[in-house]
Amino acid sequence: METIQFTAIPGIKVGHAQDRKAATGCTVVLCEAGAVAGVDVRGGAPGTRETDLLNPLNLVDRVHAVLLTGGSAFGLDAAGGIMRYLEERGIGFDVQVTRVPIVAGAVLFDLACGDFRVRPDAAMGYQACLQASADDCPQGSVGAGTGATVGKIRGMNFAMKGGVGSVAYRAGELMVGALVAVNCLGDVVDPASGRIVAGALADDRRSFIGTEQVMIGQYERKPNPFCGNTTIGVVATNAILNKAQAAKVAGMAHNGYGRTIRPAHTLYDGDTVFAIGTGMLEADISVVGLLAAQAMEQAVLRAVRAADSLAGIPGRSALELP
């Protein structure tokens, strides 16, 4: 199995746009030829767009873009810019008088990082499309990961920066990749070593306190859910999928969250995964799903390792951590 770039999957482009001063941004995964899509929402506080359309019972079976955005529900405005970009190029579902681009999306809560008055909007969504490339896939504090943070059980003063990460694998002709914006309540753990990579800091800011232990020890207390959470991601493959199979792959990709984010899928996270298939070859859906989980696992780790300090929140490289 070979490790490749997420945008090496044919038919996929990725673009980021951000306001680093305000610490927010959005990321678009373009599939201009259309791609069959599915979604699996497991967090208790999601903010999404066009997820009902991805139900296998419903008509439209292809999307033309997936939006990952900061700004909480305000950030869904960025989809309007993506739709304008695609419509101008004649891309979308043919309704005779025009083509309606199908843009699915999900938000993360980054309003507590940077300037909450600035949110991704249609102009930023359009800019992300202009930046979209099949050759480059920046990671870290970019796009939807600009204001992302992790380890917030003790509040923002002891949190660390999250970000965007991506990776893909090639097994023969099959390609499966994941792109994720990591903005979790919990800690990010390397499953190979069992050690925390980024998360809630102890008072000395040189060690981790362990989010799960804090939560268990304070089980009678209800934390402030508006610290800013939710991890959102996209899995892409060149395999042939129908909508039900795409939803299954998205569900299996959540295993990547479970392996690396502790805890994942809490009531205060809106954890969501989209899966898109560009339909180039037949493949065992279980194999696609297990590769999706592996890719998501590594993408989460890459996101926090590449994140830099922003808006007073330290990235891993800025701290003396084990």
Side-chain angles (χ1 to χ4, degrees), residues 1-235:
M1 188 170 68
E2 176 188 1
T3 301
I4 58 175
Q5 188 166 267
F6 180 77
T7 48
I9 299 171
I12 298 297
K13 295 180 181 178
V14 173
H16 301 296
Q18 57 277 321
D19 183 330
R20 285 182 60 85
K21 183 177 180 181
T24 194
C26 65
T27 296
V28 61
V29 178
L30 291 179
C31 34
E32 295 167 323
V36 174
V39 66
D40 190 309
V41 181
R42 296 197 184 178
T48 57
R49 183 181 194 277
E50 296 283 35
T51 51
D52 283 349
L53 196 65
L54 304 185
N55 187 314
L57 296 177
N58 294 331
L59 174 64
V60 177
D61 66 349
R62 291 178 178 269
V63 302
H64 304 98
V66 176
L67 167 69
L68 305 180
T69 181
S72 189
F74 297 110
L76 290 174
D77 284 350
I82 299 169
M83 291 187 70
R84 179 165 68 89
Y85 174 90
L86 292 169
E87 185 188 24
E88 288 173 353
R89 289 154 179 80
I91 296 169
F93 183 75
D94 188 358
V95 294
Q96 298 185 356
V97 294
T98 188
R99 289 183 177 270
V100 179
I102 306 302
V103 180
V107 306
L108 57 80
F109 189 109
D110 60 1
L111 302 182
C113 181
D115 187 347
F116 74 92
R117 296 167 297 183
V118 177
R119 301 96 182 229
D121 56 12
M124 188 178 283
Y126 193 91
Q127 184 63 32
C129 292
L130 293 176
Q131 298 298 320
S133 170
D135 300 318
D136 192 24
C137 199
Q139 303 184 64
S141 299
V142 296
T146 304
T149 49
V150 304
K152 287 159 282 190
I153 193 66
R154 304 184 70 201
M156 295 298 285
N157 289 336
F158 296 96
M160 289 179 61
K161 276 293 282 105
V164 166
S166 65
V167 70
Y169 298 121
R170 186 200 309 267
E173 295 301 313
L174 175 64
M175 300 180 188
V176 183
L179 182 147
V180 64
V182 181
N183 186 62
C184 54
L185 172 71
D187 304 323
V188 174
V189 177
D190 185 344
S193 65
R195 300 178 70 175
I196 298 174
V197 178
L201 295 167
D203 291 343
D204 61 8
R205 299 179 69 83
R206 295 184 179 181
S207 60
F208 299 109
I209 197 165
T211 294
E212 290 185 327
Q213 287 70 35
V214 172
M215 292 179 71
I216 293 169
Q218 299 177 355
Y219 68 88
E220 77 285 1
R221 295 173 57 186
K222 184 177 181 180
N224 176 8
F226 301 110
C227 293
N229 307 304
T230 295
T231 296
I232 49 180
V234 181
V235 168

